[in-house]
Amino acid sequence: MLVIDEADRTLLLRTQLPHRKELSVWLTPGGGLKLGETHEEAAIRELWEETGLTGVDLGPWVWRRQVVWRWGDRTYEAHERFFLLRTPRFSFSPAARVDLETETVLAHRWWSVAELKAAPEERFAPSRVGEHLAAILEEGVPGTPIDVGY
């Protein structure tokens, strides 16, 4: 999910991969579908689990990506949908996280486009999140979801 506050900053979570403790990645809130869930329902549930935010009006589907990655001993293939959520900055309350998220989410931060572009030492997912965030802020919501790559 692409969560943007009133200062045009996006919320990212810093995660640590269980099989590579030395590697951390900043990524958007989100996760997988549960049986019978729509993509929209999953986005709202994951946002609540990871941040504590409730009562949101989900915006449009703006980005997509297909990615294969390893998490611990398993390999996953995901067809991700990123929904836009404009919201006032809120108090982060990760109390609803599931055990795995509690173990692997190290921090959260609101990032501006300038801060994203000025952090080449950091790893992001999607990797060019700053570039794609800038496009949303400058050009508005795309007519169809754009592929944001790896």
Side-chain angles (χ1 to χ4, degrees):
M1 179 174 300
L2 177 61
V3 180
I4 303 174
D5 72 4
E6 68 276 1
D8 291 338
R9 294 185 188 125
T10 190
L11 177 63
L12 298 179
L13 309 176
R14 184 172 171 235
T15 64
Q16 182 179 55
L17 303 176
H19 63 285
R20 294 189 61 193
K21 300 273 188 208
E22 78 286 359
L23 180 65
S24 67
V25 179
W26 288 97
L27 47 83
T28 62
L33 294 169
K34 289 187 176 181
L35 188 61
E37 229 176 14
T38 67
H39 291 279
E40 293 83 358
E41 290 166 341
I44 290 169
R45 176 187 48 77
E46 287 284 345
L47 184 66
W48 172 75
E49 288 177 359
E50 295 175 353
T51 71
L53 186 62
T54 61
V56 300
D57 290 323
L58 199 59
W61 174 21
V62 292
W63 297 345
R64 62 182 165 77
R65 79 176 184 152
Q66 183 175 340
V67 62
V68 175
W69 80 97
R70 196 169 144 241
W71 186 267
D73 295 335
R74 296 188 62 188
T75 299
Y76 295 89
E77 179 177 356
H79 299 267
E80 298 178 338
R81 294 183 183 192
F82 296 80
F83 295 93
L84 177 63
L85 176 64
R86 294 296 307 226
T87 183
R89 198 166 185 171
F90 57 90
S91 295
F92 197 84
S93 175
R97 285 187 187 154
V98 296
D99 289 342
L100 180 61
E101 292 164 340
T102 301
E103 295 170 15
T104 60
V105 176
L106 305 175
H108 73 279
R109 179 176 166 185
W110 293 91
W111 292 79
S112 69
V113 170
E115 291 167 335
L116 289 164
K117 291 182 177 180
E121 72 285 357
E122 299 289 353
R123 295 179 64 105
F124 297 101
S127 61
R128 295 177 7 235
V129 67
E131 175 185 325
H132 294 295
L133 174 61
I136 291 274
L137 296 174
E138 293 167 11
E139 302 164 19
V141 174
T144 60
I146 63 166
D147 186 344
V148 292
Y150 187 78

